Amino acid sequence: MPRSIANKISLAALSLTMAVVLTLGTASYLFTRHTLKEQIKEKLSFEAALISHRLEARLDNINNDMRNMSANLIVVNALVDSAGREMYVEPFLRSYHLPQNIPCLLTLCDFSGHPIISCQGPEKLRVYSDQPLLTQVITHQRPLARLEQNEQGSNLLIAYPVLYGATGQAEGLLVLELPLSPLVSACLPKIPGAEGHIFKLSDKDGEIWTTAKDHTPSILSTTIQLKGQAPLDQLALALTVGQESRLAYASLTTLTGIYLVIGILILQLTIAASRFMAKKLTAPLVALTITADQVTKSNDPTSQITVTSHDEITQLASSFKTMLARLQESHDSLEQRVAERTKELHSLNAELVNEVAERIRAEAKTREYVETQAVLLREVNHRVKNNLVAIISMLHQEEDRAREKGMQEYEHRIQEVVWRVAGLLTVHRLLSSSEWKPLPLSQLCESVIQETLKGLSASSSIRLSVSPSDLCVDSDQAHSLAMVLNELSTNTMKYALCGRDTASISVAIEPRDGSIQLTYQDDGPGFPEPLLRGDFSDSGIGITLVNGLVTRNMQGTITLANDNGGVARISFPAKAPEPAA
């Protein structure tokens, strides 16, 4: 234990000292590195400015030469008068030389870009007939400068229009091609200590020339945008000057080695000093630890703890004795409280076991009751379905007898009753299959109308369109609404197919501030005028039944209108919630 405390004190002192040393060393290193970087940046900026100034001057001189030569009368006359022009134009073109004998190709072309003569004779002729060049130089009479790539590298192309003074029109163009690499290399200065420098030339599309053979990334670099006369400004050239990392960090490597040696020496001194101070500080604690071990072995909390020092250690020893006495009192009190609490827990546990058993028996009875009710409900649903089917069968028999006796009106009446009962059967099936939960309104409309349309003859057809909706209706609304839809679709079958074989029905469902609006529309002849005014006194049984179901059973309203067919707008309160997603 004493050694552990001493080691901790030594480690703390060592950590604090090393933190200070590392902080100071890192700050010094970063400051030196920053200063060195700034010096390198200033040097690179000077080199970049010097090279860019030389390159701009060279390019401007070449551009000025091209402008002057394109306006020279020798060149202009050669385009206008072709007789004997080779005798005086070729020497004129050969007389043009770039600084430091940089090779170039100077060509005179007609207005279509076909070469007439060049400074290297007829064996070195190139056609300049690409559309962008001719459009700018010949059509718009503006000079052009661009970069072209080939196997040897990048070439600079400068083209000037040759204008005929009498017409002011471009009769041809003068084109100069020169390699970019020797032109830029000739502008690089011979600066002492420039070894390891990297020079790059780039345009808006990326790098076009560099002195780096393996594209070694530079640690520092400066880029200057070249400024040139038109049309050289179209190139958007930029010069970058950088320095390789191995040279830039050469002095920093030496500085790092010096810092490491100094750090090792400081570490050794710190270790020795921290060990000495730790032993001196932990000496009283060693004595207190020995006494505490004796108290533990003797199991006597009242034993005397003797410490000879007169500092905070003495206060610690006195507090330790008081703590032992109070700890014994707390232990006795805690044991008594634990016994009482355990007794209470046993009593509560017995009550809980009885309550759980009673709840299990109640749940079993409830489950048995629910299962019985479910069986009874299924039996009732089955019997209701069978009764409705039996009623429909008996009605069909009556319909057959009426047909045999030629009682057409009676036959039609029975058919309408069959359709109404079939609608009730359909909604009963939907409700029983959903366990009498709220039904989706769009499903109810489609099922009831489709069931009614089964009474169509084979030669007739009605198209049905129901708008999708998440709205639902309860069982009471579903029964009433099924009867209403049955009567409306029956009315469509009776009147919309008169004189034709096809018809259409559309149903739109919309929520309206706590209510539901259902719009039924067909493309038949529409409703009679009295019904449109709300007079149902002379209407048939079907419409009267619809009006009564909507107003009395559903507590809603119905409005009839004609709009390319009959339109029935039914509005009633929304009772059932939307189904959960």
Side-chain angles (χ1 to χ4, degrees):
M1 183 67 179
R3 289 190 180 184
S4 177
I5 295 177
N7 291 337
K8 291 180 180 179
I9 295 175
S10 300
L11 181 60
L14 179 62
S15 301
L16 180 61
T17 304
M18 290 307 299
V20 174
V21 171
L22 288 175
T23 302
L24 295 177
T26 303
S28 176
Y29 176 81
L30 293 177
F31 175 76
T32 305
R33 186 173 182 269
H34 175 72
T35 303
L36 181 60
K37 281 188 176 182
E38 291 299 323
Q39 293 177 353
I40 295 175
K41 283 185 177 180
E42 291 179 1
K43 181 179 178 182
L44 295 177
S45 298
F46 172 76
E47 294 180 15
L50 178 63
I51 297 171
S52 63
H53 178 72
R54 290 182 179 181
L55 186 56
E56 288 172 358
R58 292 280 178 89
L59 292 174
D60 288 343
N61 290 336
I62 294 173
N63 188 49
N64 291 333
D65 292 342
M66 286 294 295
R67 185 186 303 110
N68 295 332
M69 286 190 295
S70 65
N72 193 288
L73 292 177
I74 296 176
V75 176
V76 176
N77 290 334
L79 288 175
V80 179
D81 185 9
S82 61
R85 58 187 175 187
E86 291 81 2
M87 301 299 295
Y88 60 88
V89 175
E90 183 175 350
F92 175 76
L93 297 180
R94 288 181 181 275
S95 65
Y96 180 71
H97 297 284
L98 293 177
Q100 298 185 2
N101 294 324
I102 296 175
C104 67
L105 178 61
L106 184 61
T107 307
L108 178 63
C109 303
D110 60 12
F111 65 90
S112 62
H114 290 84
I116 297 174
I117 196 167
S118 71
C119 65
Q120 296 184 16
E123 63 277 2
K124 290 288 187 177
L125 294 178
R126 176 186 168 185
V127 178
Y128 301 94
S129 59
D130 57 287
Q131 192 60 38
L133 186 146
L134 295 178
T135 300
Q136 181 166 339
V137 179
I138 300 300
T139 304
H140 299 300
Q141 299 181 6
R142 294 201 307 267
L144 177 140
R146 70 185 184 190
L147 296 173
E148 296 183 345
Q149 298 291 333
N150 55 27
E151 296 179 355
Q152 287 75 26
S154 299
N155 283 352
L156 173 62
L157 184 146
I158 303 176
Y160 266 82
V162 179
L163 304 178
Y164 184 49
T167 61
Q169 299 295 323
E171 298 295 336
L173 64 155
L174 186 64
V175 184
L176 174 65
E177 277 192 80
L178 67 153
L180 198 60
S181 177
L183 177 65
V184 180
S185 299
C187 298
L188 299 181
K190 306 299 181 182
I191 301 176
E195 296 81 1
H197 281 37
I198 298 174
F199 303 94
K200 297 180 181 179
L201 188 66
S202 59
D203 60 1
K204 56 186 177 182
D205 295 326
E207 181 182 299
I208 57 177
W209 174 85
T210 180
T211 59
K213 297 180 180 179
D214 54 355
H215 297 280
T216 302
S218 57
I219 182 176
L220 292 175
S221 63
T222 299
T223 301
I224 294 182
Q225 196 74 27
L226 298 183
K227 301 177 181 179
Q229 303 173 356
L232 296 175
D233 55 352
Q234 303 171 4
L235 302 177
L237 295 177
L239 178 67
T240 301
V241 180
Q243 188 176 13
E244 295 182 5
S245 57
R246 60 183 180 84
L247 296 178
Y249 282 121
S251 57
L252 290 178
T253 303
T254 304
L255 180 63
T256 303
I258 295 174
Y259 281 171
L260 288 176
V261 173
I262 295 175
I264 292 173
L265 294 176
I266 294 175
L267 179 62
Q268 292 177 349
L269 293 175
T270 303
I271 292 174
S274 62
R275 286 183 176 178
F276 174 76
M277 293 299 296
K279 290 181 179 179
K280 186 175 181 181
L281 291 174
T282 56
L285 292 176
V286 172
L288 180 60
T289 302
I290 294 173
T291 303
D293 289 340
Q294 293 175 355
V295 171
T296 303
K297 293 177 180 179
S298 62
N299 294 324
D300 185 9
T302 60
S303 300
Q304 295 295 323
I305 301 178
T306 304
V307 178
T308 58
S309 60
H310 300 283
D311 50 15
E312 288 81 359
I313 304 299
T314 304
Q315 298 178 4
L316 177 62
S318 177
S319 300
F320 185 72
K321 291 175 61 179
T322 304
M323 180 188 66
L324 289 177
R326 292 181 179 177
L327 182 62
Q328 185 65 37
E329 295 176 359
S330 299
H331 180 267
D332 296 340
S333 175
L334 183 61
E335 286 290 338
Q336 183 179 359
R337 292 175 60 187
V338 168
E340 295 175 355
R341 187 59 179 168
T342 302
K343 184 177 180 181
E344 293 177 2
L345 289 176
H346 281 303
S347 176
L348 292 175
N349 187 49
E351 295 178 1
L352 182 61
V353 169
N354 294 333
E355 183 178 351
V356 170
E358 184 65 27
R359 181 168 297 181
I360 291 174
R361 288 192 294 271
E363 289 180 354
K365 292 181 179 180
T366 302
R367 191 180 303 110
E368 182 181 357
Y369 176 76
V370 170
E371 292 175 355
T372 302
Q373 294 300 317
V375 172
L376 292 176
L377 179 59
R378 287 195 297 270
E379 182 64 24
V380 170
N381 288 334
H382 181 68
R383 292 181 179 274
V384 171
K385 291 178 186 178
N386 291 341
N387 291 337
L388 290 174
V389 171
I391 292 172
I392 292 174
S393 298
M394 289 187 291
L395 289 173
H396 278 307
Q397 292 177 2
E398 290 296 326
E399 181 184 6
D400 293 338
R401 293 191 185 96
R403 187 182 304 111
E404 293 174 357
K405 296 179 180 181
M407 304 171 64
Q408 293 184 355
E409 182 179 357
Y410 184 58
E411 178 186 353
H412 293 325
R413 296 289 185 181
I414 294 177
Q415 181 63 49
E416 292 178 2
V417 175
V418 169
W419 289 338
R420 292 188 183 107
V421 177
L424 292 176
L425 177 60
T426 299
V427 71
H428 183 79
R429 286 174 177 171
L430 293 174
L431 287 171
S432 60
S433 62
S434 65
E435 297 181 353
W436 295 86
K437 297 178 181 177
L439 287 177
L441 185 52
S442 58
Q443 179 186 1
L444 174 66
C445 294
E446 186 170 359
S447 299
V448 172
I449 297 175
Q450 289 286 10
E451 183 65 26
T452 305
L453 295 181
K454 290 181 180 179
L456 287 172
S457 62
S459 60
S460 302
S461 65
I462 295 180
R463 296 185 301 274
L464 174 62
S465 172
V466 180
S467 64
S469 174
D470 294 333
L471 298 175
C472 295
V473 292
D474 59 16
S475 58
D476 293 336
Q477 291 175 326
H479 279 99
S480 300
L481 196 57
M483 295 291 292
V484 171
L485 292 172
N486 179 271
E487 294 298 331
L488 292 175
S489 56
T490 300
N491 188 69
T492 300
M493 291 169 57
K494 290 171 61 178
Y495 299 107
L497 292 175
C498 291
R500 57 177 181 169
D501 296 331
T502 60
S504 63
I505 296 175
S506 64
V507 180
I509 303 169
E510 296 177 330
R512 292 291 178 86
D513 297 331
S515 63
I516 300 174
Q517 178 171 302
L518 185 146
T519 303
Y520 177 97
Q521 182 173 6
D522 61 20
D523 58 351
F527 296 104
E529 186 64 27
L531 294 181
L532 301 180
R533 297 194 304 268
D535 183 7
F536 295 93
S537 59
D538 295 332
S539 62
I541 297 177
I543 297 299
T544 303
L545 178 63
V546 168
N547 183 54
L549 288 170
V550 173
T551 57
R552 291 193 298 272
N553 293 18
M554 300 177 65
Q555 302 298 317
T557 60
I558 180 170
T559 303
L560 302 180
N562 289 332
D563 184 8
N564 294 324
V567 180
R569 293 185 178 89
I570 302 170
S571 179
F572 56 94
K575 297 182 180 179
E578 296 182 3

